[in-house]
Amino acid sequence: RRWDTERQEWVYPADWRPIDSAPKDGTRILGFGKLGFEPEDGIGTVMWNWAGYWVCDPHEATEYGPEKCELTHWSPLPEPPNE
């Protein structure tokens, strides 16, 4: 990360932002951190759950429901392809 003196904020490579600034309205985003039961940090599609925590893609939910994620950073999803 580097400090952007013009914007007066930390800038993360690839537009990664601190998780505290992520939308909590059900918007799907890219999340970085512990994804479900994975032992290592990774990147995946996540969203804020109505119950008040980050969940991994709900389409991949287990029999116990969506897996919780412990995230440190987020980035908006890229635009889908035109074709």
Coordinates of all heavy atoms in Angstrom, one line a residue:
R1 N 0.8 -1.2 0.0 CA 0.0 0.0 0.0 C 0.9 1.2 0.0 O 2.0 1.2 0.4 CB -1.0 0.0 1.2 CG -0.3 0.2 2.5 CD -1.3 0.2 3.6 NE -0.6 0.6 4.9 CZ -1.1 0.7 6.0 NH1 -2.4 0.6 6.1 NH2 -0.4 1.1 7.0
R2 N 0.3 2.3 -0.4 CA 1.1 3.6 -0.4 C 0.1 4.7 0.0 O -1.1 4.6 -0.2 CB 1.7 3.9 -1.7 CG 0.7 4.2 -2.8 CD 1.4 4.6 -4.1 NE 0.5 4.8 -5.2 CZ -0.3 5.8 -5.4 NH1 -0.3 6.8 -4.5 NH2 -1.2 5.8 -6.4
W3 N 0.6 5.8 0.6 CA -0.2 6.9 1.0 C -0.4 7.9 -0.2 O 0.6 8.3 -0.8 CB 0.4 7.7 2.1 CG -0.4 8.8 2.6 CD1 -0.1 10.1 2.4 CD2 -1.6 8.8 3.4 NE1 -1.1 10.9 3.0 CE2 -2.0 10.1 3.6 CE3 -2.3 7.8 3.9 CZ2 -3.1 10.4 4.3 CZ3 -3.5 8.1 4.6 CH2 -3.9 9.4 4.8
D4 N -1.6 8.2 -0.6 CA -1.9 9.1 -1.7 C -2.1 10.5 -1.0 O -3.1 10.7 -0.4 CB -3.2 8.6 -2.4 CG -3.5 9.5 -3.6 OD1 -3.3 10.7 -3.6 OD2 -3.9 8.9 -4.7
T5 N -1.2 11.3 -1.3 CA -1.2 12.7 -0.6 C -2.4 13.5 -1.2 O -2.9 14.3 -0.5 CB 0.1 13.4 -0.8 OG1 0.4 13.5 -2.2 CG2 1.2 12.7 0.0
E6 N -2.7 13.3 -2.5 CA -3.8 14.1 -3.1 C -5.2 13.7 -2.5 O -6.0 14.5 -2.1 CB -3.8 13.9 -4.6 CG -4.8 14.8 -5.3 CD -4.6 14.7 -6.8 OE1 -3.5 14.9 -7.3 OE2 -5.6 14.4 -7.5
R7 N -5.4 12.3 -2.4 CA -6.7 11.8 -1.9 C -6.7 11.7 -0.4 O -7.7 11.5 0.3 CB -7.0 10.5 -2.5 CG -7.3 10.5 -4.0 CD -7.4 9.2 -4.7 NE -7.9 8.1 -4.0 CZ -7.9 6.9 -4.5 NH1 -7.3 6.6 -5.7 NH2 -8.4 5.9 -3.8
Q8 N -5.5 11.9 0.3 CA -5.4 11.8 1.7 C -5.9 10.4 2.3 O -6.7 10.4 3.2 CB -6.1 12.9 2.4 CG -5.4 14.3 2.2 CD -4.0 14.3 2.8 OE1 -3.8 14.1 4.0 NE2 -3.0 14.5 2.0
E9 N -5.5 9.3 1.6 CA -5.9 8.0 2.1 C -4.9 7.0 1.6 O -4.1 7.2 0.7 CB -7.3 7.6 1.6 CG -7.4 7.5 0.1 CD -8.8 7.2 -0.4 OE1 -9.7 7.3 0.4 OE2 -8.9 6.9 -1.6
W10 N -4.9 5.8 2.2 CA -4.1 4.7 1.8 C -4.6 4.2 0.5 O -5.8 4.0 0.3 CB -4.0 3.6 2.8 CG -3.2 4.0 4.0 CD1 -3.7 4.3 5.3 CD2 -1.8 4.1 4.1 NE1 -2.7 4.6 6.1 CE2 -1.5 4.4 5.4 CE3 -0.8 3.9 3.2 CZ2 -0.2 4.7 5.9 CZ3 0.5 4.1 3.6 CH2 0.8 4.5 5.0
V11 N -3.8 3.8 -0.5 CA -4.2 3.3 -1.7 C -3.6 1.9 -1.8 O -2.4 1.6 -1.5 CB -3.6 4.1 -2.9 CG1 -4.0 3.5 -4.3 CG2 -4.2 5.5 -2.8
Y12 N -4.4 0.9 -2.2 CA -4.0 -0.5 -2.3 C -3.9 -0.9 -3.7 O -4.7 -0.5 -4.5 CB -5.0 -1.4 -1.5 CG -5.0 -1.1 0.0 CD1 -5.8 -0.1 0.5 CD2 -4.2 -1.8 0.8 CE1 -5.8 0.2 1.8 CE2 -4.3 -1.6 2.2 CZ -5.1 -0.6 2.7 OH -5.1 -0.3 4.0
P13 N -2.9 -1.8 -4.0 CA -2.8 -2.2 -5.4 C -4.1 -2.9 -5.9 O -4.8 -3.5 -5.1 CB -1.7 -3.2 -5.4 CG -0.9 -2.9 -4.1 CD -1.9 -2.3 -3.2
A14 N -4.4 -2.8 -7.2 CA -5.6 -3.4 -7.8 C -6.9 -2.9 -7.1 O -7.9 -3.6 -7.1 CB -5.5 -4.9 -7.7
D15 N -6.9 -1.7 -6.6 CA -8.0 -1.1 -6.1 C -8.6 -1.8 -4.8 O -9.7 -1.7 -4.5 CB -9.1 -0.9 -7.1 CG -10.1 0.2 -6.8 OD1 -9.8 1.1 -6.0 OD2 -11.3 0.1 -7.3
W16 N -7.7 -2.5 -4.1 CA -8.1 -3.1 -2.8 C -8.3 -2.0 -1.8 O -7.5 -1.1 -1.6 CB -7.1 -4.1 -2.3 CG -7.0 -5.3 -3.2 CD1 -6.1 -5.7 -4.1 CD2 -8.0 -6.3 -3.2 NE1 -6.4 -6.9 -4.7 CE2 -7.6 -7.3 -4.2 CE3 -9.2 -6.5 -2.6 CZ2 -8.3 -8.4 -4.5 CZ3 -10.0 -7.7 -2.9 CH2 -9.5 -8.6 -3.8
R17 N -9.4 -2.1 -1.0 CA -9.7 -1.1 0.0 C -9.9 -1.8 1.3 O -10.3 -3.0 1.4 CB -11.0 -0.4 -0.4 CG -10.9 0.2 -1.8 CD -12.3 0.6 -2.3 NE -12.2 1.0 -3.7 CZ -13.2 1.4 -4.4 NH1 -14.4 1.5 -3.9 NH2 -13.0 1.7 -5.7
P18 N -9.8 -1.1 2.4 CA -10.0 -1.7 3.8 C -11.5 -2.2 3.8 O -12.4 -1.5 3.3 CB -9.8 -0.6 4.7 CG -8.9 0.4 4.0 CD -9.3 0.3 2.6
I19 N -11.7 -3.3 4.5 CA -13.0 -3.9 4.5 C -14.1 -3.0 5.2 O -15.3 -3.1 4.9 CB -13.0 -5.4 5.1 CG1 -14.3 -6.1 4.8 CG2 -12.7 -5.3 6.6 CD1 -14.6 -6.4 3.4
D20 N -13.6 -2.2 6.1 CA -14.5 -1.3 6.8 C -15.3 -0.3 5.8 O -16.3 0.2 6.2 CB -13.8 -0.4 7.8 CG -13.3 -1.3 9.0 OD1 -13.7 -2.5 9.1 OD2 -12.4 -0.8 9.7
S21 N -14.7 -0.1 4.6 CA -15.3 0.8 3.7 C -16.2 0.1 2.7 O -16.8 0.7 1.8 CB -14.3 1.6 2.9 OG -13.5 0.7 2.1
A22 N -16.4 -1.2 2.8 CA -17.2 -2.0 1.8 C -18.7 -1.8 2.0 O -19.2 -1.5 3.1 CB -16.9 -3.5 2.0
P23 N -19.5 -1.9 0.9 CA -20.9 -1.7 1.0 C -21.5 -2.9 1.8 O -21.1 -4.0 1.6 CB -21.4 -1.7 -0.4 CG -20.3 -2.4 -1.2 CD -19.0 -2.1 -0.4
K24 N -22.5 -2.6 2.6 CA -23.2 -3.6 3.4 C -24.7 -3.6 3.1 O -25.5 -3.6 4.0 CB -23.0 -3.3 4.9 CG -21.5 -3.5 5.3 CD -21.3 -3.3 6.8 CE -19.9 -3.6 7.2 NZ -19.6 -3.3 8.6
D25 N -24.9 -3.6 1.8 CA -26.3 -3.5 1.3 C -26.7 -4.8 0.5 O -27.7 -4.8 -0.2 CB -26.6 -2.3 0.5 CG -25.7 -2.2 -0.7 OD1 -24.9 -3.1 -1.0 OD2 -25.7 -1.1 -1.4
G26 N -25.9 -5.8 0.6 CA -26.1 -7.0 -0.2 C -25.4 -7.0 -1.6 O -25.5 -8.0 -2.3
T27 N -24.7 -6.0 -1.9 CA -23.9 -5.9 -3.1 C -22.8 -7.0 -3.1 O -22.1 -7.1 -2.1 CB -23.2 -4.5 -3.3 OG1 -24.3 -3.5 -3.3 CG2 -22.4 -4.4 -4.6
R28 N -22.6 -7.7 -4.2 CA -21.5 -8.7 -4.3 C -20.2 -7.9 -4.6 O -20.2 -7.0 -5.4 CB -21.8 -9.7 -5.3 CG -22.9 -10.7 -4.9 CD -23.2 -11.6 -6.0 NE -24.4 -12.3 -5.7 CZ -24.5 -13.6 -5.4 NH1 -23.5 -14.3 -5.5 NH2 -25.7 -14.1 -5.1
I29 N -19.2 -8.3 -3.9 CA -17.9 -7.7 -4.1 C -16.8 -8.8 -4.1 O -17.1 -9.9 -3.8 CB -17.6 -6.7 -2.9 CG1 -17.6 -7.4 -1.6 CG2 -18.5 -5.5 -2.9 CD1 -17.1 -6.6 -0.4
L30 N -15.6 -8.4 -4.5 CA -14.4 -9.3 -4.3 C -13.9 -9.1 -2.9 O -13.7 -7.9 -2.5 CB -13.3 -9.0 -5.3 CG -13.6 -9.4 -6.7 CD1 -12.4 -9.0 -7.6 CD2 -13.8 -10.9 -6.8
G31 N -13.7 -10.1 -2.1 CA -13.2 -10.0 -0.8 C -11.9 -10.8 -0.7 O -11.6 -11.8 -1.4
F32 N -11.0 -10.3 0.2 CA -9.7 -10.9 0.4 C -9.6 -11.2 1.9 O -9.9 -10.3 2.8 CB -8.5 -10.0 0.0 CG -7.2 -10.6 0.4 CD1 -6.7 -11.6 -0.4 CD2 -6.5 -10.2 1.5 CE1 -5.4 -12.2 -0.1 CE2 -5.3 -10.8 1.9 CZ -4.8 -11.8 1.1
G33 N -9.3 -12.4 2.3 CA -9.1 -12.8 3.6 C -9.4 -14.3 3.8 O -9.3 -15.1 2.8
K34 N -9.8 -14.7 5.0 CA -10.2 -16.1 5.2 C -11.6 -16.3 4.6 O -12.6 -15.7 5.0 CB -10.3 -16.4 6.7 CG -8.9 -16.3 7.4 CD -8.1 -17.5 7.2 CE -6.8 -17.4 8.0 NZ -5.6 -17.3 7.2
L35 N -11.7 -17.2 3.7 CA -13.0 -17.5 3.0 C -13.5 -18.9 3.5 O -13.0 -19.9 3.1 CB -12.8 -17.6 1.5 CG -12.2 -16.3 0.9 CD1 -11.9 -16.5 -0.6 CD2 -13.2 -15.1 1.1
G36 N -14.5 -18.8 4.3 CA -15.1 -20.1 4.8 C -14.1 -20.9 5.6 O -13.4 -20.4 6.5
F37 N -14.0 -22.2 5.2 CA -13.1 -23.1 6.0 C -11.7 -23.2 5.3 O -10.9 -24.0 5.8 CB -13.8 -24.5 6.0 CG -15.1 -24.4 6.7 CD1 -16.3 -24.6 6.1 CD2 -15.1 -24.2 8.1 CE1 -17.5 -24.6 6.7 CE2 -16.3 -24.2 8.8 CZ -17.5 -24.3 8.1
E38 N -11.4 -22.4 4.3 CA -10.1 -22.4 3.7 C -9.0 -22.0 4.7 O -9.2 -21.0 5.4 CB -10.1 -21.5 2.5 CG -11.0 -22.0 1.4 CD -10.6 -23.3 0.8 OE1 -9.4 -23.6 0.7 OE2 -11.5 -24.1 0.5
P39 N -7.9 -22.7 4.8 CA -6.9 -22.4 5.8 C -6.1 -21.2 5.5 O -5.5 -20.5 6.3 CB -6.0 -23.6 5.9 CG -6.2 -24.3 4.5 CD -7.6 -23.9 4.1
E40 N -6.0 -20.8 4.2 CA -5.1 -19.7 3.8 C -6.0 -18.5 3.3 O -7.1 -18.7 2.8 CB -4.2 -20.2 2.6 CG -3.5 -21.5 3.0 CD -2.0 -21.3 2.9 OE1 -1.5 -20.3 2.4 OE2 -1.3 -22.2 3.5
D41 N -5.5 -17.3 3.3 CA -6.2 -16.2 2.7 C -6.4 -16.4 1.2 O -5.5 -17.0 0.6 CB -5.3 -14.9 2.9 CG -5.4 -14.4 4.4 OD1 -6.2 -14.9 5.1 OD2 -4.6 -13.5 4.7
G42 N -7.5 -15.9 0.7 CA -7.8 -16.0 -0.7 C -8.7 -14.9 -1.2 O -9.1 -14.0 -0.4
I43 N -9.1 -15.0 -2.4 CA -9.9 -14.0 -3.0 C -11.2 -14.7 -3.5 O -11.1 -15.8 -4.1 CB -9.3 -13.3 -4.3 CG1 -8.0 -12.5 -3.8 CG2 -10.2 -12.4 -5.0 CD1 -7.2 -12.0 -4.9
G44 N -12.4 -14.1 -3.2 CA -13.6 -14.7 -3.6 C -14.7 -13.7 -3.7 O -14.6 -12.6 -3.2
T45 N -15.8 -14.1 -4.3 CA -17.0 -13.3 -4.3 C -17.8 -13.4 -3.0 O -18.0 -14.5 -2.5 CB -18.0 -13.7 -5.5 OG1 -17.2 -13.7 -6.7 CG2 -19.1 -12.8 -5.6
V46 N -18.0 -12.3 -2.4 CA -18.7 -12.3 -1.0 C -19.8 -11.2 -1.0 O -19.9 -10.4 -1.9 CB -17.6 -12.0 0.1 CG1 -16.6 -13.1 0.1 CG2 -17.0 -10.6 -0.1
M47 N -20.6 -11.3 0.0 CA -21.6 -10.2 0.3 C -21.9 -10.1 1.7 O -21.7 -11.1 2.5 CB -22.8 -10.5 -0.6 CG -23.6 -11.8 -0.2 SD -25.0 -12.2 -1.3 CE -26.2 -11.0 -0.6
W48 N -22.4 -9.0 2.2 CA -22.9 -8.8 3.5 C -24.2 -9.5 3.7 O -25.1 -9.3 3.0 CB -23.0 -7.3 3.8 CG -23.2 -7.0 5.3 CD1 -24.4 -6.5 5.8 CD2 -22.3 -7.1 6.4 NE1 -24.3 -6.4 7.1 CE2 -23.0 -6.7 7.5 CE3 -21.0 -7.4 6.5 CZ2 -22.4 -6.6 8.8 CZ3 -20.4 -7.4 7.7 CH2 -21.1 -7.0 8.9
N49 N -24.3 -10.3 4.8 CA -25.5 -11.1 5.1 C -26.4 -10.2 5.9 O -26.0 -9.4 6.8 CB -25.0 -12.3 5.8 CG -26.1 -13.3 6.1 OD1 -27.2 -12.9 6.6 ND2 -25.9 -14.5 5.7
W50 N -27.7 -10.4 5.8 CA -28.7 -9.7 6.5 C -28.5 -10.0 8.0 O -29.0 -9.2 8.9 CB -30.1 -10.1 6.1 CG -30.4 -11.6 6.2 CD1 -30.2 -12.6 5.3 CD2 -30.8 -12.3 7.4 NE1 -30.5 -13.8 5.7 CE2 -30.8 -13.7 7.1 CE3 -31.1 -12.0 8.7 CZ2 -31.2 -14.7 8.0 CZ3 -31.5 -13.0 9.6 CH2 -31.5 -14.3 9.2
A51 N -27.9 -11.1 8.4 CA -27.6 -11.4 9.8 C -26.5 -10.7 10.4 O -26.2 -10.8 11.6 CB -27.4 -12.9 10.0
G52 N -25.7 -9.9 9.6 CA -24.7 -9.0 10.1 C -23.3 -9.6 10.0 O -22.4 -9.2 10.8
Y53 N -22.9 -10.3 8.9 CA -21.6 -10.8 8.7 C -21.3 -11.1 7.3 O -22.3 -11.2 6.5 CB -21.2 -12.0 9.6 CG -22.2 -13.2 9.4 CD1 -22.0 -14.1 8.4 CD2 -23.3 -13.4 10.2 CE1 -22.8 -15.2 8.2 CE2 -24.1 -14.5 10.1 CZ -23.9 -15.4 9.0 OH -24.8 -16.4 8.9
W54 N -20.0 -11.1 6.9 CA -19.7 -11.4 5.5 C -19.8 -12.9 5.2 O -19.4 -13.7 6.0 CB -18.2 -11.0 5.2 CG -18.0 -9.5 5.3 CD1 -17.5 -8.8 6.3 CD2 -18.4 -8.5 4.4 NE1 -17.5 -7.5 6.1 CE2 -18.1 -7.3 4.9 CE3 -19.1 -8.6 3.1 CZ2 -18.4 -6.1 4.2 CZ3 -19.3 -7.4 2.4 CH2 -19.0 -6.2 3.0
V55 N -20.4 -13.2 4.1 CA -20.5 -14.6 3.7 C -19.9 -14.8 2.3 O -19.9 -13.9 1.5 CB -22.0 -15.1 3.6 CG1 -22.6 -15.1 5.0 CG2 -22.8 -14.3 2.7
C56 N -19.3 -16.0 2.1 CA -18.8 -16.4 0.8 C -20.0 -16.5 -0.1 O -21.2 -16.5 0.3 CB -18.1 -17.8 0.9 SG -16.7 -17.7 2.0
D57 N -19.8 -16.7 -1.4 CA -20.8 -16.7 -2.4 C -21.9 -17.7 -1.9 O -21.7 -18.9 -1.7 CB -20.3 -17.2 -3.7 CG -21.2 -17.0 -4.9 OD1 -22.5 -17.1 -4.6 OD2 -20.8 -16.8 -6.0
P58 N -23.2 -17.2 -1.7 CA -24.2 -18.0 -1.2 C -24.6 -19.1 -2.1 O -25.2 -20.1 -1.7 CB -25.4 -17.0 -1.0 CG -25.1 -15.8 -1.8 CD -23.6 -15.8 -1.9
H59 N -24.2 -19.1 -3.4 CA -24.5 -20.2 -4.3 C -23.6 -21.4 -3.9 O -23.9 -22.5 -4.4 CB -24.2 -19.8 -5.7 CG -25.1 -18.7 -6.2 ND1 -26.5 -18.9 -6.4 CD2 -24.9 -17.4 -6.5 CE1 -27.1 -17.8 -6.8 NE2 -26.1 -16.9 -6.9
E60 N -22.6 -21.2 -3.1 CA -21.8 -22.3 -2.7 C -22.0 -22.6 -1.2 O -21.1 -23.1 -0.5 CB -20.3 -21.9 -2.9 CG -20.0 -21.7 -4.4 CD -18.6 -21.2 -4.6 OE1 -17.8 -21.3 -3.7 OE2 -18.3 -20.8 -5.7
A61 N -23.2 -22.4 -0.7 CA -23.5 -22.6 0.7 C -23.4 -24.1 1.0 O -23.7 -25.0 0.2 CB -24.9 -22.1 1.0
T62 N -23.1 -24.4 2.3 CA -23.0 -25.8 2.8 C -24.4 -26.1 3.3 O -25.3 -25.3 3.3 CB -22.0 -25.9 3.9 OG1 -22.5 -25.2 5.0 CG2 -20.7 -25.4 3.5
E63 N -24.6 -27.3 3.8 CA -25.9 -27.7 4.4 C -26.2 -26.9 5.6 O -27.4 -26.9 6.0 CB -25.8 -29.2 4.7 CG -24.8 -29.6 5.8 CD -24.6 -31.1 5.9 OE1 -25.4 -31.7 6.7 OE2 -23.8 -31.7 5.2
Y64 N -25.2 -26.3 6.2 CA -25.5 -25.4 7.4 C -25.7 -24.0 7.0 O -25.8 -23.1 7.9 CB -24.2 -25.5 8.3 CG -23.9 -26.9 8.7 CD1 -22.8 -27.6 8.2 CD2 -24.8 -27.6 9.6 CE1 -22.5 -28.9 8.5 CE2 -24.5 -29.0 9.9 CZ -23.4 -29.6 9.4 OH -23.1 -30.9 9.7
G65 N -25.7 -23.6 5.7 CA -26.0 -22.3 5.3 C -24.7 -21.7 4.7 O -23.7 -22.4 4.6
P66 N -24.7 -20.4 4.4 CA -23.5 -19.7 3.8 C -22.4 -19.7 4.8 O -22.5 -19.6 6.0 CB -24.0 -18.3 3.6 CG -25.5 -18.3 3.7 CD -25.8 -19.5 4.6
E67 N -21.2 -19.9 4.3 CA -20.0 -19.9 5.1 C -19.6 -18.4 5.4 O -19.6 -17.6 4.6 CB -18.8 -20.5 4.4 CG -19.0 -22.0 4.1 CD -17.9 -22.6 3.4 OE1 -16.8 -22.1 3.4 OE2 -18.1 -23.7 2.9
K68 N -19.2 -18.2 6.7 CA -18.7 -16.9 7.1 C -17.3 -16.6 6.6 O -16.5 -17.6 6.4 CB -18.7 -16.8 8.6 CG -20.0 -16.7 9.3 CD -19.9 -16.5 10.8 CE -21.2 -16.4 11.4 NZ -21.1 -16.2 12.9
C69 N -17.0 -15.4 6.3 CA -15.7 -15.0 5.8 C -15.1 -14.0 6.8 O -15.8 -13.2 7.4 CB -15.8 -14.3 4.5 SG -16.5 -15.4 3.2
E70 N -13.8 -14.0 7.0 CA -13.1 -13.0 7.8 C -12.2 -12.3 6.9 O -11.1 -12.7 6.5 CB -12.3 -13.7 8.9 CG -13.1 -14.5 9.9 CD -12.3 -15.3 10.9 OE1 -11.1 -14.8 11.2 OE2 -12.7 -16.3 11.4
L71 N -12.7 -11.1 6.4 CA -12.1 -10.3 5.4 C -11.2 -9.2 5.9 O -11.6 -8.6 7.0 CB -13.1 -9.8 4.4 CG -14.1 -10.8 3.8 CD1 -15.1 -10.1 3.0 CD2 -13.3 -11.8 3.0
T72 N -10.2 -8.8 5.2 CA -9.4 -7.6 5.5 C -9.5 -6.6 4.5 O -9.4 -5.4 4.8 CB -7.9 -8.0 5.6 OG1 -7.4 -8.6 4.4 CG2 -7.7 -9.0 6.8
H73 N -9.8 -6.9 3.2 CA -9.9 -6.0 2.1 C -11.0 -6.4 1.1 O -11.4 -7.5 1.1 CB -8.5 -5.9 1.3 CG -7.5 -5.3 2.2 ND1 -6.7 -6.1 3.1 CD2 -7.0 -4.1 2.3 CE1 -5.9 -5.3 3.7 NE2 -6.0 -4.1 3.2
W74 N -11.4 -5.4 0.3 CA -12.4 -5.6 -0.7 C -12.1 -4.8 -2.0 O -11.3 -3.9 -1.9 CB -13.8 -5.3 -0.2 CG -14.1 -3.8 -0.2 CD1 -13.6 -2.9 0.8 CD2 -14.8 -3.1 -1.1 NE1 -14.1 -1.7 0.5 CE2 -14.8 -1.7 -0.7 CE3 -15.5 -3.4 -2.3 CZ2 -15.5 -0.7 -1.3 CZ3 -16.2 -2.4 -2.9 CH2 -16.2 -1.1 -2.5
S75 N -12.7 -5.2 -3.1 CA -12.6 -4.5 -4.3 C -13.9 -4.6 -5.1 O -14.6 -5.7 -5.0 CB -11.5 -5.1 -5.2 OG -11.3 -4.3 -6.4
P76 N -14.4 -3.6 -5.8 CA -15.6 -3.8 -6.6 C -15.4 -4.9 -7.6 O -14.3 -5.1 -8.1 CB -15.8 -2.4 -7.3 CG -14.9 -1.5 -6.5 CD -13.8 -2.3 -6.0
L77 N -16.5 -5.6 -8.0 CA -16.4 -6.6 -9.1 C -16.1 -5.8 -10.4 O -16.6 -4.7 -10.6 CB -17.7 -7.3 -9.2 CG -18.0 -8.3 -8.1 CD1 -19.4 -8.9 -8.2 CD2 -17.0 -9.5 -8.1
P78 N -15.3 -6.5 -11.3 CA -15.1 -5.8 -12.6 C -16.4 -5.9 -13.4 O -17.3 -6.7 -13.1 CB -14.0 -6.7 -13.2 CG -14.1 -8.0 -12.5 CD -14.6 -7.7 -11.1
E79 N -16.5 -5.1 -14.4 CA -17.6 -5.1 -15.3 C -17.6 -6.5 -16.1 O -16.5 -7.0 -16.4 CB -17.6 -4.0 -16.3 CG -17.8 -2.6 -15.7 CD -19.2 -2.5 -15.1 OE1 -20.1 -2.9 -15.8 OE2 -19.3 -1.9 -14.0
P80 N -18.8 -7.0 -16.4 CA -18.8 -8.3 -17.1 C -18.4 -8.0 -18.6 O -18.5 -6.9 -19.1 CB -20.3 -8.7 -17.0 CG -21.0 -7.5 -16.7 CD -20.1 -6.6 -15.9
P81 N -18.0 -9.1 -19.3 CA -17.6 -8.9 -20.7 C -18.8 -8.4 -21.5 O -20.0 -8.7 -21.2 CB -17.2 -10.3 -21.1 CG -17.1 -11.1 -19.9 CD -17.9 -10.4 -18.8
N82 N -18.5 -7.7 -22.6 CA -19.5 -7.2 -23.5 C -20.1 -8.3 -24.4 O -21.2 -8.1 -24.9 CB -19.0 -6.1 -24.4 CG -18.7 -4.8 -23.5 OD1 -19.4 -4.6 -22.5 ND2 -17.8 -4.0 -23.9
E83 N -19.3 -9.3 -24.7 CA -19.8 -10.4 -25.6 C -19.9 -11.7 -24.9 O -19.3 -12.0 -24.0 CB -18.8 -10.5 -26.7 CG -18.7 -9.2 -27.5 CD -17.6 -9.3 -28.6 OE1 -17.2 -10.4 -29.0 OE2 -17.2 -8.3 -29.1

